[in-house]
Amino acid sequence: MSLSGLSVPKFDGANYYRQPTTQPSTIGFSTTGTRFVQFEYQLYSPGSAVTGQAMLDTIILGSKTFPAGKFVDRAIWSGFVPTGKYHVSLTYTCNPICGQAPSQYWTKLTVIKDARIQAKEDTGLGTERLWLNAPDTELNIIGTGPASFDGMTYRRPIEAPAFTLSWPSGRQPLNVGFTVNSNQPFRVTTKVGDEVLLVKRGDARTQVTPNLSLIGHPDARSVTVQVDCLNGTPGCAGLYFPNVGLRTPPAVSVPPVVTGGLTLALLGAVALLLGFGPRPRRG
């Protein structure tokens, strides 16, 4: 792993930080297999707001604006990458201008080898389960932040009032499962279209873990889950283990390639080999 564009660590009396010396700053790393990669940082600028835009090589990961003179939560990006060499870069923009270089705290890049979870799991005859937090997943989610790994499992912050989990078209859903938890009272409402499937409450000691049957909704392509924070604090909850059970695609049938006449000829040849059919006459 290599680092460029940032100063040596400095100490403010409470925490260590670095300051950008060039634009952009970069962290280089390589993997020898599919890995979960998590990049996080926090910016502080005393006189003006500062925005950091993170990129993985040429792919924009996201941006976050840190207000002037305030410490706010870290920016976090994460995802799975295949074998290869990569660079995470961070570009800085101040509004209106940077009177001095911003301070960058909590700069951290974590590369995790975690092969316990697969994107697709065989669950029996004609069925399979798709998992969201896995390499090359076929599921899609809108309304949450990126996954983070706590050393044991993956968590996504629920950032919108509701999130939508969807799966590939042309597949019949069987069930959907997930877990929501929070440090305050909350309510989870799960819908398919306009139909409410479940309303359930939880709190700091009680998580909500529905496993909802979708047998009656063979044409459904998504579920929408509304999470209400009952203490009035938005973004209070996290999402774990999102998954969907589906019927597997039907096997492609191959039509026979042997014609009727050829079949009879082959059967006749087999009969002769086995000693059946007309025998030579004795003269």
Side-chain angles (χ1 to χ4, degrees), residues 39-106:
F39 173 59
E40 50 194 292
Y41 67 94
Q42 180 191 60
L43 298 179
Y44 174 81
S45 177
S48 59
V50 57
T51 299
Q53 177 176 277
M55 299 183 68
L56 178 68
D57 292 337
T58 59
I59 302 171
I60 296 176
L61 304 178
S63 62
K64 181 169 181 173
T65 298
F66 297 80
K70 293 183 180 179
F71 287 98
V72 297
D73 289 341
R74 284 170 280 181
I76 298 177
W77 170 86
S78 60
F80 291 93
V81 299
T83 299
K85 294 183 178 180
Y86 301 94
H87 287 87
V88 173
S89 62
L90 191 62
T91 303
Y92 312 86
T93 305
C94 291
N95 186 13
I97 59 173
C98 292
Q100 64 184 64
S103 302
Q104 184 166 322
Y105 291 80
W106 306 108

Side-chain angles (χ1 to χ4, degrees), residues 5 22 54 57 86 96 114 118 125 127 133 174 208 217 248:
T22 60
D57 292 337
Y86 301 94
D114 179 33
Q118 303 296 321
L125 182 62
T127 65
N133 298 326
L174 299 175
V208 172
H217 303 273
T248 53

Side-chain angles (χ1 to χ4, degrees), residues 179-188 200-209 227-231 236-238:
T179 295
V180 176
N181 74 359
S182 176
N183 59 3
Q184 65 175 266
F186 65 99
R187 180 177 58 240
V188 176
K200 198 167 184 179
R201 290 175 178 254
D203 54 36
R205 295 180 297 177
T206 307
Q207 62 187 17
V208 172
T209 307
V227 180
D228 296 305
C229 301
L230 302 181
N231 280 357
C236 69

Side-chain angles (χ1 to χ4, degrees), residues 129-253:
R129 186 163 303 281
L130 304 184
W131 294 88
L132 176 66
N133 298 326
D136 303 319
T137 181
E138 296 181 64
L139 299 181
N140 185 53
I141 195 165
I142 299 173
T144 73
S148 60
F149 190 68
D150 63 6
M152 297 182 64
T153 190
Y154 298 93
R155 177 188 186 273
R156 290 175 181 263
I158 301 173
E159 298 178 339
F163 67 86
T164 299
L165 181 67
S166 58
W167 48 89
S169 60
R171 306 288 300 279
Q172 182 179 344
L174 299 175
N175 50 60
V176 60
F178 55 87
T179 295
V180 176
N181 74 359
S182 176
N183 59 3
Q184 65 175 266
F186 65 99
R187 180 177 58 240
V188 176
T189 304
T190 306
K191 299 179 180 180
V192 171
D194 294 328
E195 181 180 345
V196 175
L197 298 182
L198 177 73
V199 178
K200 198 167 184 179
R201 290 175 178 254
D203 54 36
R205 295 180 297 177
T206 307
Q207 62 187 17
V208 172
T209 307
N211 191 353
L212 303 171
S213 173
L214 298 177
I215 295 296
H217 303 273
D219 298 324
R221 294 293 170 264
S222 65
V223 295
T224 299
V225 182
Q226 179 178 327
V227 180
D228 296 305
C229 301
L230 302 181
N231 280 357
T233 305
C236 69
L239 174 67
Y240 298 80
F241 314 115
N243 65 90
V244 177
L246 300 170
R247 295 199 185 277
T248 53
V252 178
S253 59

